[in-house]
Amino acid sequence: MGDKNYFGRGFERELSEHGVHLLRPARKGERERPGSALFKPLRQVVESINETFEGQLDLERHRGRTPVGVIARVMQRILALTAAIWHNDATGQTVLRSLIAYDH
């Protein structure tokens, strides 16, 4: 998924050669692209996940001192959220992306 500035015949051909289908809005004068109905819902999901990462996982306050430390702390938080989502889904919880029940 990208914005409308990801375009060009060569760029699109290279993506196609690798089996990648780019979802982006149509540029001015361009006909509607395949998958355009998915763009808004997917964008909302991405924004929601980013908000979850920033709010619940405190990604800006990771306290990593080196690039490796930052990556390790961020990955810990992503894995924790993934485990919480799986657990909440497996136990039939109504809110899946919430770590509040595990915050103690």
Side-chain angles (χ1 to χ4, degrees):
M1 187 158 79
D3 67 17
K4 62 185 174 186
N5 293 319
Y6 288 97
F7 71 99
R9 286 188 189 135
F11 178 69
E12 298 267 350
R13 184 179 56 252
E14 191 171 334
L15 290 177
S16 180
E17 288 171 1
H18 289 86
V20 175
H21 302 280
L22 178 64
L23 180 62
R24 71 164 173 82
R27 294 172 51 85
K28 194 173 195 176
E30 192 177 49
R31 69 174 198 258
E32 190 171 314
R33 295 176 55 92
S36 63
L38 300 173
F39 191 71
K40 189 173 181 178
L42 283 176
R43 191 172 183 150
Q44 290 173 338
V45 168
V46 169
E47 291 296 325
S48 177
I49 290 170
N50 283 340
E51 182 66 31
T52 300
F53 280 172
E54 290 173 7
Q56 291 194 43
L57 302 182
D58 289 331
L59 291 187
E60 277 109 22
R61 294 185 291 265
H62 49 69
R63 294 188 294 199
R65 293 184 177 86
T66 64
V68 172
V70 171
I71 290 169
R73 288 174 182 254
V74 168
M75 291 307 296
Q76 283 176 328
R77 288 166 170 82
I78 292 172
L79 287 171
L81 181 61
T82 303
I85 291 170
W86 173 84
H87 182 266
N88 288 346
D89 183 53
T91 58
Q93 303 298 314
T94 56
V95 179
L96 299 181
R97 280 195 334 257
S98 178
L99 296 175
I100 293 172
Y102 312 101
D103 187 24
H104 55 279

